[in-house]
Amino acid sequence: PGRPAAPPAAGSLVNSKIRRLAVGLLVCYIALFAQLNLLQVGQREELAEDPRNDRQTTRDFNRPRGPIVTADGVVVADSVASAPGDSFKYQRRYPTGDLFAGITGYYTFNFGSTQLERTQGQVLLGTTAAQRVQAITGLLGGSDNSGSVLLTMRNDVQQVAKDALKDPTTGEMREGSVVVMEPSTGAILAMYSFPTFDPNLVAVHDSETARNVLDFLNNYPGKPLLANAYQERYMPGSSFKVITTGIALENGVTDLQRVFPVETEYIPPQTTDPIANYGGKACGGTMIEVFYRSCNIPFARMALELGPERMVAGTTAWGIGEQLPIDLPEAAASSFGDVEDFTEALPLLAIGGFGQGSDVMVPLHMAMVAATVANGGRMMAPYVVDATRFHDGSVLERTRPSVWRTPISSQTATQLNSLMVGVVNQGTGTAMQLANGIQAAGKTGTAQLNATGEPQRSHAWIIGFAPAESPRYAVSVVLKGTNDEISAGTGGRLAGPIAKQVFDYLFASEAQP
């Protein structure tokens, strides 16, 4: 006892240090393993899209990238061998120029990709899980694993839509959009907007040249880099009366026998400023008559009778306020307003009832409105990709049509159908009367953008479908009020002939052997 403890043996000290070192190395290994998994799995997409990371992009530009093809077999995007001396093996090419720019977008080294080039990038490169599995099994028999994208859109109809936007007198392009879709499926056959751009000018491998083109386009009036048909929204004017009427019919506020007073002015609550019909004309009569004559006051009255709650709920049922569910990126949302926006501003609600005030609608959405009436009250989700395919042409994935909204009953849809037939036969839409006796249904709109006393500025609209008795196609057309001629015109006079040109072509092409 009292004797000092013996010092630990040298071997014991060594073993203790080894254990601490082993534990430390194990902790480091676990941390390294976790970080690698975080980088390779958790942050894979974020790192791949980081503009400072060009390794993956360089690899992609030296690999085959598959084509985007229309329903009628026209290649609208593909890759070809680069010119000798180029820093990359492949050059992305857009054979139809600006015709499908709003659908394909562009694919660049320094400035990323847009539209389908962005959303379908993995399919085109062949890097989806299914494509990798097929490559492993050796079914392809080669190193090219790229896929392709098959569109619902037709090159011929897209070209007709573009040509229809030209001024019939001067041949110059007018700013606006044309959308054509199948009411029963939501498949889009054409969707063209002007101004637009040629993606070949952006897809060049010279970064300075590409930057200059993008800078020019970003500063060009009319937003040509946006696909205005589904990424922009405009005041709809009287084309919105289809929606107001649908809401009023669903809520029992009106029926086809209702009679409205003939009047030139109407003063809504909370104001002394009267509402007038277009051009200050006296207008009234049955529901059928005020619809085909496009009187403003009856629709203002209906919006007020519905009140903020029911009117807003009705617009929500039509999908207004929600981003459109198309298989393209960054779709816009139409807008009407919230209940609180109108509770103390009933005149704004009244004006909104006939498509003015704070109402703004996406051209694609207005085509969907027409298609909903044509489809018995069911609003289908729109889509442009029919199918994606493996390199050997077999189907990777096919789009299945789906109902997005059911804002009106089949009975209301039938009533709106008959009202829209009246617009074409004896109302403001007679310019959309089709060849060969085919009955069309439509609704015009002239959205007045200027305040009282200012020079007139307006958008010209028409929406519709045909044949009315068994609809196969729905369309929306808007011409932007960028000049005096368009602003002085009406939807029926200016947009109507565009819709007719598209419809007549569609039915004529059906008749060809």
Side-chain angles (χ1 to χ4, degrees):
R3 192 173 55 179
S12 173
L13 287 173
V14 171
N15 289 336
S16 174
K17 290 180 179 179
I18 290 174
R19 281 195 297 272
R20 286 198 297 270
L21 177 61
V23 170
L25 289 173
L26 181 61
V27 169
C28 290
Y29 175 79
I30 292 173
L32 179 61
F33 180 80
Q35 180 67 9
L36 286 173
N37 274 274
L38 176 65
L39 293 173
Q40 293 180 355
V41 179
Q43 296 181 324
R44 181 178 181 275
E45 287 190 17
E46 179 183 345
L47 292 170
E49 294 177 1
D50 192 315
R52 296 168 296 178
N53 178 16
D54 62 1
R55 291 185 179 181
Q56 181 62 51
T57 307
T58 300
R59 285 194 293 270
D60 291 346
F61 266 76
N62 286 308
R63 295 171 54 189
R65 186 178 179 89
I68 301 174
V69 186
T70 66
D72 50 346
V74 175
V75 174
V76 296
D78 64 359
S79 292
V80 295
S82 296
D86 197 307
S87 53
F88 302 111
K89 291 182 180 179
Y90 296 98
Q91 170 65 58
R92 198 62 171 165
R93 182 181 66 166
Y94 303 90
T96 56
D98 72 355
L99 191 60
F100 284 87
I103 307 301
T104 64
Y106 55 75
Y107 176 62
T108 68
F109 181 76
N110 286 101
F111 304 101
S113 55
T114 60
Q115 314 307 86
L116 291 181
E117 291 281 28
R118 172 182 161 190
T119 60
Q120 298 296 328
Q122 285 190 311
V123 169
L124 296 170
L125 280 171
T127 58
T128 67
Q131 288 168 298
R132 287 177 173 176
V133 168
Q134 192 189 56
I136 290 172
T137 60
L139 295 178
L140 296 180
S143 59
D144 186 352
N145 194 37
S146 62
S148 61
V149 173
L150 178 65
L151 302 179
T152 60
M153 303 177 67
R154 287 167 47 181
N155 181 77
D156 61 338
V157 183
Q158 184 82 338
Q159 185 65 56
V160 169
K162 175 182 178 179
D163 292 341
L165 280 176
K166 294 178 181 177
D167 187 300
T169 303
T170 66
E172 295 181 356
M173 292 296 298
R174 294 173 290 184
E175 288 195 34
S177 298
V178 179
V179 180
V180 186
M181 66 189 303
E182 292 181 348
S184 61
T185 65
I188 294 175
L189 303 182
M191 186 161 62
Y192 184 82
S193 297
F194 186 85
T196 185
F197 69 102
D198 184 347
N200 289 296
L201 302 177
V202 183
V204 295
H205 294 163
D206 186 315
S207 298
E208 184 176 354
T209 299
R211 180 185 292 106
N212 290 338
V213 171
L214 288 173
D215 286 345
F216 173 81
L217 293 171
N218 277 317
N219 290 287
Y220 192 87
K223 303 178 182 178
L225 286 173
L226 284 183
N228 290 318
Y230 85 93
Q231 291 183 316
E232 270 284 37
R233 52 193 193 170
Y234 310 97
M235 187 183 292
S238 293
S239 62
F240 192 85
K241 291 172 182 174
V242 173
I243 296 172
T244 299
T245 304
I247 298 170
L249 288 169
E250 286 289 303
N251 284 276
V253 166
T254 193
D255 55 44
L256 300 190
Q257 288 71 47
R258 180 176 178 178
V259 177
F260 294 88
V262 176
E263 52 193 340
T264 57
E265 289 186 346
Y266 164 65
I267 301 177
Q270 301 176 347
T271 186
T272 57
D273 189 14
I275 289 174
N277 299 307
Y278 182 77
K281 62 186 178 183
C283 207
T286 66
M287 183 70 233
I288 296 172
E289 184 177 359
V290 300
F291 193 91
Y292 75 67
R293 291 184 63 191
S294 203
C295 309
N296 288 340
I297 294 173
F299 296 90
R301 287 184 177 274
M302 283 189 282
L304 289 174
E305 290 171 23
L306 284 162
E309 290 82 6
R310 289 193 294 177
M311 189 66 187
V312 170
T315 61
T316 301
W318 283 90
I320 296 173
E322 189 168 343
Q323 186 180 43
L324 296 180
I326 190 172
D327 52 353
L328 286 166
E330 300 174 0
S334 302
S335 177
F336 180 78
D338 299 321
V339 172
E340 54 268 25
D341 296 329
F342 302 114
T343 304
E344 302 298 328
L346 292 177
L348 185 61
L349 178 65
I351 293 170
F354 57 89
Q356 297 282 149
S358 59
D359 297 9
V360 283
M361 295 293 295
V362 181
L364 170 60
H365 202 166
M366 290 308 294
M368 294 163 63
V369 168
T372 300
V373 178
N375 196 39
R378 297 177 301 277
M379 179 180 282
M380 307 301 289
Y383 62 99
V384 298
V385 176
D386 178 41
T388 54
R389 300 183 291 196
F390 290 101
H391 189 66
D392 63 3
S394 59
V395 173
L396 173 61
E397 187 174 358
R398 187 174 296 278
T399 300
R400 295 183 179 180
S402 62
V403 177
W404 185 48
R405 292 282 187 275
T406 307
I408 53 175
S409 66
S410 59
Q411 179 183 358
T412 296
T414 299
Q415 292 174 312
L416 283 171
N417 187 318
S418 66
L419 289 172
M420 293 172 72
V421 166
V423 171
V424 173
N425 288 350
Q426 58 187 335
T428 57
T430 56
M432 202 172 73
Q433 293 178 357
L434 306 184
N436 301 318
I438 295 172
Q439 180 65 64
K443 184 68 192 81
T444 60
T446 306
Q448 295 176 271
L449 310 176
N450 57 287
T452 303
E454 294 180 354
Q456 183 163 323
R457 278 288 176 265
S458 58
H459 298 323
W461 285 84
I462 198 164
I463 64 173
F465 52 87
E469 63 278 9
S470 182
R472 294 199 295 279
Y473 308 111
V475 68
S476 76
V477 177
V478 59
L479 288 175
K480 294 162 63 176
T482 55
N483 60 46
D484 292 339
E485 180 185 2
I486 294 174
S487 293
T490 62
R493 185 173 68 83
L494 295 175
I498 295 175
K500 170 181 168 58
Q501 187 173 336
V502 172
F503 277 137
D504 282 345
Y505 176 82
L506 284 165
F507 292 114
S509 66
E510 285 183 352
Q512 294 176 358

